[in-house]
Amino acid sequence: MTRVLHGYFRSSAAYRVRIALNLKGLDYEPVSVHLRKGEQRAEAFLALNPQGMVPALVDGEAVLTQSPAILEYLDEAYPETPRLLPGSPVDRARVRALAAAVACDIHPINNLRVLKYVQGPLGCSQDAMVAWYNHWIAEGFGALERMLADDPRTGRFCHGDAPGLADVCLVPQVVNSQRHALDLAPYPTIRRIAEACDALPAFQAAHPSRQPDAE
């Protein structure tokens, strides 16, 4: 079976899927869709994903889009590999909530198409754009830090002592925050977990700087 991941080295959503594939030991062929050059609007890619967004994962006959859906698909389709979600319904709900705090609340208003609109039609300066970007990460990280620090189920990673769905979503957002020099000192639990993830080969290999299309 040929597994192909259409993504962009700097896309947080594609980064999540790369981490998950690596954690599960699933081989894939990366195909670059250069977002800044508008390749996501090419007819060939729109035929694959009408939203014109990355990632898109082709797994055999299946074409999957939206990183949260892809991550859950990988966990269900390949249950014999390390699981991204815990066994208990309550614990699964917690992990999904942690992941959604990043993937649904922080990331969507800070992704490339939003930032281009903020700077383009709305006429904001680069400094204003960075202030917007860091404001929403800080808002989200403040809440996420409390969710992690105040829960005994937090271990070496977001949930226990093995990386899972929440860590897969958290690390790309931490890397994004570093691009715009957000001070992470107020979030010691987030920093500790990100450092634990960074020590693992699956996370290291997925880093944007290690992708074939990195600039």
Side-chain angles (χ1 to χ4, degrees):
M1 181 196 305
T2 301
R3 189 178 295 111
V4 179
L5 178 63
H6 298 259
Y8 180 57
F9 79 104
R10 198 168 275 165
S11 162
S12 297
Y15 190 176
R16 295 170 199 150
V17 177
R18 292 196 302 265
I19 296 170
L21 288 165
N22 293 345
L23 283 172
K24 286 185 161 288
L26 299 173
D27 294 332
Y28 66 94
E29 175 189 345
V31 173
S32 178
V33 181
H34 201 300
L35 301 183
R36 291 193 175 274
K37 294 180 180 178
E39 292 178 357
Q40 71 276 22
R41 294 188 292 274
E43 285 302 317
F45 185 70
L46 289 174
L48 194 68
N49 181 4
Q51 282 190 289
M53 299 168 67
V54 297
L57 178 68
V58 180
D59 192 13
E61 298 297 320
V63 178
L64 303 128
T65 61
Q66 288 289 348
S67 64
I70 295 172
L71 297 176
E72 296 232 12
Y73 162 81
L74 292 173
D75 221 27
E76 294 172 5
Y78 301 98
E80 68 281 3
T81 57
R83 300 305 299 263
L84 300 177
L85 284 163
S88 158
V90 171
D91 288 343
R92 285 200 301 274
R94 177 189 185 243
V95 170
R96 286 183 175 115
L98 293 170
V102 174
C104 299
D105 293 336
I106 300 175
H107 173 246
I109 54 176
N110 272 352
N111 69 14
L112 180 60
R113 63 179 183 166
V114 170
L115 298 180
K116 289 177 72 173
Y117 189 80
V118 167
Q119 286 191 281
L122 298 187
C124 292
S125 67
Q126 175 70 13
D127 287 346
M129 185 275 290
V130 171
W132 164 282
Y133 192 94
N134 283 342
H135 169 79
W136 294 115
I137 298 180
E139 284 278 309
F141 274 8
L144 191 60
E145 175 68 23
R146 293 190 295 274
M147 293 167 71
L148 292 166
D150 296 343
D151 195 314
R153 291 171 292 182
T154 301
R156 184 182 176 206
F157 298 98
C158 288
H159 190 85
D161 294 322
L165 183 73
D167 307 281
V168 165
C169 292
L170 174 64
V171 166
Q173 194 62 65
V174 171
V175 171
N176 280 350
S177 73
Q178 294 167 340
R179 287 178 53 215
H180 291 295
L182 176 70
D183 181 14
L184 295 177
Y187 321 111
T189 311
I190 289 175
R191 285 190 295 115
R192 176 183 63 75
I193 291 169
E195 288 168 3
C197 291
D198 288 342
L200 300 179
F203 286 83
Q204 294 169 0
H207 193 278
S209 65
R210 297 195 175 189
Q211 304 317 301
D213 58 341
E215 298 171 346

